[in-house]
Amino acid sequence: MKFSYNWICELVEGVQVSPKELGHLITMKTAECEAVEPFGEHLAKVCAARVVEAEPIPGTRNKKVLVNTGRYGLKTVVCGAPNCRPGMTSAYVPAGVALPGGEIRCLEISGVVSDGMLASGAELGVNRDAEGILELLAEPGEPIPGCRPDWVLEIDNKSITHRPDLWGHLGLAREVAAILRLPLRDPVRLDWLPEAAADLEIEILNDELCPRYSALTFEMVSVQSSPLWLAYRLETIGLNPINNIVDVTNYIMAELAQPMHAFDRDTLRGNTIFVRTAAPGEFLVALNGETYKLDPATVVIADARGPVAIGGVIGGLDTGIVAGTRRIVLESANFHASSIRKTSGRLKLRTDASMRFEKGQDPANTVRGLARAIELFQEISPGIRLSGGLADAKRELPPPPRIALELDWMERKLGREVAREQVVEILRALAFGVEEESPRRLLVSVPSWRATRDVSIKDDLVEEVGRMVGYDSITPQAPLIPSAPPPANELRTFHHAVREMLAAQGFTEVYNYSFVSEETARRFGFDPAEHVAVLNPIASDQGLLRKSLVPGIWKNLLDNSRHFDSFRLFEIGYEIHKRPGELPDEIDHLAAAVYEREGDGRPGLFELKRLAECLMPGCEVRPASARPFEHPARSWELRWRECALGRLFELHPTLAAGRAAVLDVDLRKMRELGPPPKRYQPLRRFPSSAFDLSVVAGLRDLAGDIEKRLVELAGENLESIRFLRQYSGPPLPEGKQSLTWRLSVFAADHTLTAEEVGAIRARLIDGLRAAGYDLRL
Amino acid sequence: MMEKELEALAARALERIEAAGSPEELEAVRIEVLGRKGALARFSKQLGTLAPEERARVGRILNSAKEQLERSFEARKEAFHRRALEQRLEAEWFDLTLPAPGPRPGSLHPVTQVQREIEEVFLSMGFTVLSGPEVETEYNNFDALNIPPDHPARDVQDTFWVEGGHLLRTHTSPVQVRGMERLGPPLRMIAPGRVFRNEEVDASHEHTFYQLEGMMVDREVSVAHLVYFMKQMLSAVFRREVSVRLRPGYFPFVEPGFELDIRCLICGGSGCAVCKYNGWLEQLGCGLVHPNVLRMSGIDPEEWMGFAFGLGLTRLVMMRYAIDDVRLFQSGDLRFLMQF
Ligand SMILES: [Zn+2]
């Protein structure tokens, strides 16, 4: 939202601060001022000039013109404007001045050196008229009337969404007046409103959606260009001047935050304006040329025949102001904020009007806008006159309840003291009514333009006082609170510990999106229907929520394999699983991967197995049937403490060139199982004895199974067991391997004799043979 | 006579010990002289042929010669040992500038790192760290935070809606609601996490980013306390004293609400490109908890007060490391991630 510094200065008496300083003060006390930029700087050098002579240059449409510029003396310029003639007064731009379209230089045109130029309104950026040079009522050398250099203060729209009043200059001016402790000048004089009976009926059929609709009828209207001051002001704040009638409505909107709309009275059927919701099948061709289908949630302004405007959003084309318009109905209404917000969202049409109404405008403001319009029309449409009085339909709204403000409570909230007199002064400057009920308690009434949704409770008043005394006046202070350790967050501690371990072992942490595309889900053999679907994705890769971390890791593997031959990475993230009727189940998982472009892939899998053992001491892997994205012969289930916790596998070779080992663990289960209980075992007191055993087994017999069997057989005599080597080849038969372990056995109460050791060994051998294994002795 | 021979033998043996070129040679000398059948042993057998007084005298000489030879033998042996060890150690030199085998160190995501730092600061000040789900209810994300269905603030936060009427949380603020409902007052908590906005991605916009939410509810909580904690946090994050300023800011779940800026760390406030020449950098939104928010979580606003803040973690990390493209955080690109 753009604000004119000059305009604010007209509304606040005696502003002495510079535009930049004002921008800063507004930022600190009201709303964020994002930029303060000069506007129309060149107008300081442009002046009125009288055409003394204008002689056509043969063979061209240009004239060689001698002008009296007053300030700069007599100048010769070349001018091609059709309206250029001796005796007229226009605008002279000296050479060296930068206009919005570029810098003006001394140029030879049609054989004549033009020392500066005579300019049109469009060239000066004061209106959109490019037909001819400006025609002014001014003496040579004087500034262009109504077009002083200005500054634009740009206020961040997001910082005023809660302040309907700040969508007009008067609202911001009130803030400035309060900040600078200067008087505010209200431009509205309600005594302009006519006393006569209205010659237009208004019927509001839904006063929830339209609490108030006020209108005036004017006749003897002459539609023409706006005067320079008006067009220039609209240009300054980024609005497009159109014609005097429309410009006045826009001007009042920018001044009072009250959107208005003018209908051509002679195109309206009947004598009644209806405010109602649209009937099924109704549509409107709007001023922007678009046709809008209306639905029953949309508020329309209708005449006897049908909709003529979408209430609070846009007017209709058929009833708009045109050059020949003689009579107008000027609408100044109030609409329900969220209804406008929804309508404008539904129609994908945000207008200056809808933007204001959706903030919750003040119903009291409708007639203020009309009063202001009467005054302005007198000036910009000479001869205009009112036809009848004010038509004003409204729902009576009770005044907002007064707010009790305990000053002690307010000071506790702010963390500083504020003198009662200062509180009262601040609130009154912001137009709050203040009654001092007791020395430390005020009764505050809220001005109508702040009461729509912005201010309703005492906390809101804390803000009013706080921002005006200045938050920088509050000294930071540590609270006095009991000291106690905060409740632990085991999830967080656990995740951080896992992360630390992974990073220490050479893995780099990645973050992947929570989204997965349908295509990727399919590629991994997941059913898209089992995912939580996003209803309004922007891109196709956001269609589903991931229920596995592996597709993300897969993408990381592909991307990084373009830059590295070997790498390790991991992610801790949430699998999102659908649960009908409640929020999805979010399960924290760890996915880690080792990539090697070369090699047989075993080291990566073993590395991840070791990693799993660091996280889950004593965990084991069991063969598993491969999922579609897993190497069919290298897919293992990870088990710990009798529970399946995840997978350890090589990515299917069709998914990645090279070898990618992946570990995927359910951290929630791991956390729930917790670390195994620890119990001290007394240290061995008698020496142990060691011997080796070589077991002959089938090539796909699992070493883990044999080792488990050995441990069982050795029972309480086992001190330790260590795998030594695996061998296949002669003299072993084809299809056989030999696996060798070193076992160390002991007894708790004596040194084992050679016979006892032999007996244990024999027990192991017999047991293995019974299980179908052979031994190499 | 024997005495002379003995002296000559000892002198010769000493020479040979000194001259021995290897431990083996030395050992040969030892056996020859000091061994059981060595020269000295032969002498001691001859002692029996001497007269008793003479035997005692020569015996003493013999013993002293033996002792002397043994000492020099041991010394010489020790010297061999020492030299052998020195040679071995010297030969064991190798080039440790060669790369160590095994994987290079990994690293944690920069957001993880900064998040942990902030967590530690708040933990040390008695705040607990809470977590919440990525998929949230509309109630927790909006209604309970004083953002009813027709509130304009819902427009600002473009929301991903998912099936079942739920949404991807647009801020970490719903964890406030969960925290208040679970722990009740008094309460000090922070909640870091992943949030989502439905918008197009470019170098400065992401649909997935990270926030850190914080809240304190107690009997007496003022703006002065809020500023105190914010200063503590930001000074810890930037590892130096920072100047902060509060200005009005609008967030439906706080009243009054503030934008908190810090004095530009690059130019110190004189103005530079980073702070867009105004000397201040926007850091976070904060305020006193809106009474409606307390009430909706079952806390009586007449008895309890609170502050809340929300920090853009992603933005903070970008600022800390001068990262110019927000997309890198979710890229999984190790060339980026391994820098931290
Ligand atoms: Zn700076």
Side-chain angles (χ1 to χ4, degrees):
Chain A
M1 175 79 181
K2 288 177 171 176
F3 290 86
S4 149
Y5 173 77
N6 287 348
W7 201 340
I8 290 170
C9 290
E10 287 166 20
L11 297 169
V12 182
E13 285 171 25
V15 175
Q16 298 288 332
V17 297
S18 70
K20 297 246 180 207
E21 176 59 17
L22 188 63
H24 173 71
L25 286 171
I26 290 170
T27 293
M28 294 308 290
K29 293 181 186 272
T30 301
E32 186 176 352
C33 182
E34 288 180 305
V36 180
E37 305 285 353
F39 187 87
E41 250 179 322
H42 56 283
L43 293 168
K45 300 219 175 74
V46 178
C47 66
R50 185 150 304 138
V51 176
V52 182
E53 293 167 19
E55 59 185 82
I57 303 173
T60 72
R61 293 169 54 201
N62 290 338
K63 299 181 187 103
K64 179 183 174 188
V65 184
L66 183 66
V67 288
N68 173 11
T69 69
R71 243 191 264 189
Y72 307 104
L74 285 174
K75 294 282 182 186
T76 301
V77 297
V78 176
C79 182
N83 63 335
C84 179
R85 59 190 188 278
M88 78 178 295
T89 302
S90 188
Y92 171 74
V93 185
V97 170
L99 294 186
E103 191 181 319
I104 302 308
R105 298 173 189 287
C106 269
L107 274 186
E108 191 179 306
I109 306 163
S110 313
V112 177
V113 174
S114 183
D115 184 4
M117 71 180 279
L118 295 177
S120 69
E123 282 164 326
L124 291 179
V126 299
N127 64 22
R128 301 285 162 108
D129 184 4
E131 296 292 302
I133 53 176
L134 278 176
E135 302 211 24
L136 304 173
L137 289 172
E139 289 305 309
E142 287 180 0
I144 312 302
C147 302
R148 274 191 302 140
D150 200 348
W151 290 79
V152 174
L153 283 76
E154 201 144 340
I155 306 289
D156 180 14
N157 284 356
K158 268 185 267 172
S159 74
I160 52 173
T161 49
H162 60 306
R163 289 290 303 269
D165 59 321
L166 294 188
W167 291 76
H169 278 69
L170 182 62
L172 192 60
R174 186 178 294 109
E175 294 285 322
V176 171
I179 293 167
L180 300 176
R181 303 167 133 198
L182 294 171
L184 178 74
R185 200 185 68 77
D186 185 349
V188 176
R189 283 177 46 204
L190 284 175
D191 55 9
W192 279 99
L193 289 172
E195 300 283 336
D199 67 355
L200 185 74
E201 298 281 311
I202 290 165
E203 204 169 315
I204 300 177
L205 297 172
N206 186 332
D207 66 3
E208 184 62 36
L209 300 183
C210 176
R212 188 169 193 180
Y213 193 102
S214 317
L216 286 172
T217 308
F218 295 87
E219 55 190 18
M220 309 289 283
V221 173
S222 50
V223 178
Q224 59 193 49
S225 300
S226 288
L228 273 187
W229 70 264
L230 177 52
Y232 174 59
R233 184 128 293 171
L234 295 180
E235 293 280 6
T236 306
I237 57 169
L239 294 176
N240 186 5
I242 295 164
N243 60 48
N244 56 347
I245 305 300
V246 174
D247 291 354
V248 162
T249 63
N250 282 334
Y251 183 88
I252 295 171
M253 175 180 74
E255 187 173 58
L256 306 178
Q258 172 65 51
M260 303 180 104
H261 180 67
F263 296 100
D264 184 330
R265 175 68 182 89
D266 295 312
T267 61
L268 294 177
R269 309 294 169 104
N271 204 35
T272 306
I273 284 186
F274 299 94
V275 186
R276 58 169 169 84
T277 50
E282 280 187 321
F283 64 92
L284 180 83
V285 181
L287 277 170
N288 59 7
E290 301 283 328
T291 302
Y292 294 98
K293 269 194 216 150
L294 307 172
D295 65 29
T298 307
V299 175
V300 296
I301 314 304
D303 63 6
R305 193 175 43 179
V308 294
I310 299 169
V313 181
I314 197 165
L317 186 61
D318 296 345
T319 51
I321 305 301
V322 294
T325 298
R326 301 297 296 157
R327 293 200 299 153
I328 62 169
V329 169
L330 186 63
E331 162 198 300
S332 185
N334 186 271
F335 297 97
H336 187 251
S338 57
S339 150
I340 296 295
R341 183 175 152 268
K342 282 184 200 140
T343 299
S344 121
R346 209 162 42 232
L347 302 176
K348 293 191 171 53
L349 176 65
R350 290 196 90 205
T351 59
D352 289 320
S354 74
M355 236 155 53
R356 285 173 174 80
F357 281 126
E358 69 182 31
K359 309 296 182 294
Q361 288 300 331
D362 175 12
N365 212 16
T366 61
V367 289
R368 285 170 49 81
L370 291 175
R372 183 76 171 125
I374 299 170
E375 182 183 2
L376 290 169
F377 278 158
Q378 302 297 325
E379 180 186 343
I380 58 97
S381 179
I384 196 169
R385 64 175 189 228
L386 278 163
S387 153
L390 173 71
D392 188 17
K394 63 181 169 189
R395 176 160 62 101
E396 285 306 330
L397 295 166
R402 290 198 292 179
I403 301 169
L405 179 63
E406 309 267 3
L407 296 182
D408 294 338
W409 174 85
M410 185 198 73
E411 289 179 345
R412 278 165 61 209
K413 291 281 254 190
L414 284 176
R416 64 154 276 181
E417 294 176 0
V418 189
R420 186 186 50 147
E421 299 71 36
Q422 202 184 350
V423 174
V424 172
E425 186 198 330
I426 286 168
L427 291 174
R428 289 200 173 132
L430 292 168
F432 289 87
V434 183
E435 187 190 316
E436 299 179 43
E437 195 190 44
S438 70
R440 300 298 290 164
R441 185 178 155 97
L442 306 179
L443 279 180
V444 181
S445 51
V446 184
S448 57
W449 57 87
R450 300 292 304 275
T452 48
R453 59 206 304 177
D454 175 20
V455 178
S456 58
I457 54 175
K458 57 188 179 177
D459 304 74
D460 298 323
L461 300 177
V462 174
E463 167 155 55
E464 298 303 300
V465 175
R467 65 193 179 91
M468 284 296 162
V469 297
Y471 294 127
D472 48 2
S473 67
I474 296 171
T475 313
Q477 199 187 347
L480 291 170
I481 36 177
S483 170
N489 179 338
E490 280 168 22
L491 176 81
R492 166 193 169 274
T493 320
F494 180 70
H495 283 182
H496 284 328
V498 173
R499 280 194 180 96
E500 291 292 347
M501 177 182 286
L502 271 287
Q505 304 218 10
F507 290 76
T508 294
E509 187 182 25
V510 301
Y511 286 7
N512 285 309
Y513 290 122
S514 302
F515 302 102
V516 64
S517 73
E518 206 172 305
E519 188 199 338
T520 305
R522 285 222 168 81
R523 182 135 194 209
F524 276 76
F526 301 136
D527 179 1
E530 283 177 8
H531 294 70
V532 176
V534 177
L535 302 179
N536 59 336
I538 291 183
S540 62
D541 60 358
Q542 297 165 356
L544 306 173
L545 298 184
R546 61 177 173 179
K547 66 181 205 75
S548 165
L549 266 49
V550 179
I553 295 290
W554 167 63
K555 185 176 176 299
N556 301 145
L557 291 168
L558 293 188
D559 292 345
N560 285 297
S561 67
R562 289 189 286 125
H563 306 291
F564 302 94
D565 290 333
S566 156
F567 55 86
R568 293 159 179 77
L569 50 80
F570 77 99
E571 180 182 15
I572 289 179
Y574 290 88
E575 286 189 355
I576 300 176
H577 294 272
K578 209 163 164 170
R579 261 191 316 204
E582 54 183 323
L583 283 176
D585 193 16
E586 298 187 13
I587 308 172
D588 43 323
H589 265 241
L590 163 71
V594 177
Y595 177 85
E596 297 284 351
R597 188 182 308 286
E598 310 289 343
D600 67 1
R602 290 176 200 220
L605 284 166
F606 273 120
E607 188 178 335
L608 288 178
K609 182 182 170 190
R610 203 183 76 81
L611 185 73
E613 285 168 346
C614 292
L615 292 167
M616 297 166 279
C619 69
E620 48 179 350
V621 296
R622 303 299 307 163
S625 62
R627 296 175 295 181
F629 51 91
E630 295 174 342
H631 185 309
R634 292 184 169 185
S635 160
W636 301 82
E637 184 181 78
L638 198 63
R639 297 186 67 81
W640 188 46
R641 307 179 67 197
E642 321 290 315
C643 277
L645 280 189
R647 308 282 284 201
L648 181 51
F649 59 92
E650 186 171 311
L651 208 57
H652 197 286
T654 54
L655 283 168
R659 300 285 186 169
V662 179
L663 171 72
D664 179 8
V665 195
D666 182 335
L667 290 181
R668 181 163 76 185
K669 247 186 218 168
M670 197 199 294
R671 199 172 58 251
E672 281 166 4
L673 289 174
K678 288 183 177 135
R679 209 169 156 228
Y680 162 74
Q681 294 292 325
L683 302 183
R684 170 169 63 73
R685 288 171 56 211
F686 297 93
S688 60
S689 313
F691 56 85
D692 293 357
L693 277 180
S694 292
V695 184
V696 178
L699 279 179
R700 294 215 173 177
D701 283 341
L702 299 177
D705 288 348
I706 299 170
E707 185 171 313
K708 213 189 264 176
R709 170 82 47 160
L710 284 168
V711 170
E712 274 166 28
L713 289 168
E716 62 179 7
N717 289 117
L718 186 67
E719 183 193 41
S720 68
I721 178 166
R722 185 156 64 90
F723 177 74
L724 291 184
R725 64 189 162 266
Q726 182 262 2
Y727 173 78
S728 59
L732 292 172
E734 190 86 352
K736 291 282 180 189
Q737 61 173 338
S738 135
L739 299 159
T740 306
W741 280 269
R742 174 159 300 164
L743 292 96
S744 176
V745 294
F746 78 112
D749 52 358
H750 67 285
T751 305
L752 291 174
T753 63
E755 290 73 30
E756 285 173 313
V757 174
I760 294 169
R761 189 164 177 270
R763 188 169 87 217
L764 295 177
I765 291 169
D766 290 348
L768 285 171
R769 284 200 169 124
Y773 297 106
D774 226 342
L775 279 106
R776 282 217 296 168
L777 299 172
Chain B
M1 197 341 246
M2 243 178 105
E3 201 179 324
K4 286 253 164 56
E5 268 178 52
L6 193 59
E7 274 168 13
L9 173 79
R12 211 167 47 248
L14 272 178
E15 269 170 38
R16 289 181 62 195
I17 287 169
E18 287 310 313
S22 70
E24 293 74 28
E25 216 175 300
L26 182 67
E27 180 62 10
V29 176
R30 189 188 68 81
I31 291 166
E32 208 181 308
V33 180
L34 292 164
R36 265 194 299 156
K37 294 175 183 167
L40 287 183
R42 285 198 301 276
F43 266 101
S44 69
K45 277 188 195 137
Q46 290 173 26
L47 278 181
T49 64
L50 298 178
E53 330 63 273
E54 188 66 359
R55 189 190 306 162
R57 200 179 55 83
V58 176
R60 275 196 301 278
I61 294 170
L62 181 69
N63 275 342
S64 110
K66 191 176 171 189
E67 272 168 31
Q68 191 194 359
L69 284 172
E70 274 172 350
R71 267 200 310 277
S72 33
F73 172 79
E74 281 306 321
R76 189 71 184 126
K77 192 172 154 192
E78 177 57 30
F80 274 122
H81 261 294
R82 209 165 47 235
R83 208 167 81 220
L85 184 65
E86 276 164 11
Q87 278 170 357
R88 198 194 97 204
L89 296 184
E90 171 57 22
E92 280 174 355
W93 182 91
F94 77 100
D95 182 0
L96 197 53
T97 65
L98 288 167
R104 306 294 98 212
S107 58
L108 296 180
H109 196 284
V111 172
T112 300
Q113 295 187 32
V114 174
Q115 177 190 322
R116 282 204 67 174
E117 282 177 32
I118 301 177
E119 285 176 0
E120 295 307 325
V121 174
F122 278 103
L123 279 167
S124 72
M125 296 192 291
F127 285 64
T128 184
V129 185
L130 297 183
S131 332
E134 294 176 8
V135 181
E136 260 294 2
T137 61
E138 187 178 356
Y139 176 82
N140 280 347
N141 194 78
F142 288 128
D143 303 67
L145 292 163
N146 202 30
I147 313 174
D150 59 351
H151 199 284
R154 290 205 179 189
D155 286 347
V156 182
Q157 302 187 357
D158 295 315
T159 309
F160 280 113
W161 294 93
V162 302
E163 56 185 307
H166 303 308
L167 48 79
L168 292 175
R169 61 176 176 190
T170 58
H171 44 199
T172 39
S173 313
V175 188
Q176 282 183 18
V177 179
R178 290 173 175 272
M180 284 187 288
E181 285 173 2
R182 211 183 84 208
L183 302 172
L187 168 71
R188 270 172 282 167
M189 55 150 280
I190 60 164
R194 170 180 285 206
V195 300
F196 307 83
R197 298 281 167 89
N198 191 346
E199 57 181 32
E200 302 277 357
V201 174
D202 62 31
S204 45
H205 297 90
E206 247 290 7
H207 55 60
T208 300
F209 55 100
Y210 298 84
Q211 278 188 347
L212 190 139
E213 191 79 12
M215 175 183 240
M216 169 174 176
V217 178
D218 215 305
R219 300 282 178 188
E220 295 286 333
V221 178
S222 71
V223 179
H225 300 141
L226 166 63
V227 185
Y228 168 81
F229 281 111
M230 296 302 95
K231 268 192 82 146
Q232 294 297 323
M233 167 183 67
L234 292 167
S235 295
V237 168
F238 293 107
R239 302 197 179 105
R240 58 178 126 157
E241 184 80 9
V242 296
S243 318
V244 306
R245 71 173 193 189
L246 285 191
R247 53 188 172 82
Y250 174 64
F251 309 96
F253 34 94
V254 288
E255 186 63 56
F258 317 110
E259 295 279 1
L260 185 140
D261 302 335
I262 61 169
R263 198 178 286 285
C264 178
L265 298 166
I266 310 295
C267 65
S270 56
C272 69
V274 173
C275 59
K276 292 180 191 145
Y277 300 95
N278 75 23
W280 294 90
L281 292 168
E282 199 173 307
Q283 276 304 313
L284 52 91
C286 53
L288 299 185
V289 182
H290 197 289
N292 289 355
V293 173
L294 291 174
R295 212 173 282 126
M296 267 184 281
S297 291
I299 298 174
D300 182 355
E302 293 301 321
E303 279 185 48
W304 300 93
M305 304 177 171
F307 70 67
F309 67 91
L311 172 82
L313 205 50
T314 305
R315 233 178 63 90
L316 188 70
V317 177
M318 290 178 82
M319 230 171 91
R320 151 100 67 104
Y321 298 109
I323 297 166
D324 57 4
D325 190 337
V326 68
R327 290 168 293 194
L328 287 167
F329 289 113
Q330 311 276 138
S331 66
D333 192 333
L334 296 176
R335 294 170 303 164
F336 166 72
L337 294 166
M338 291 196 301
Q339 296 179 28
F340 300 96

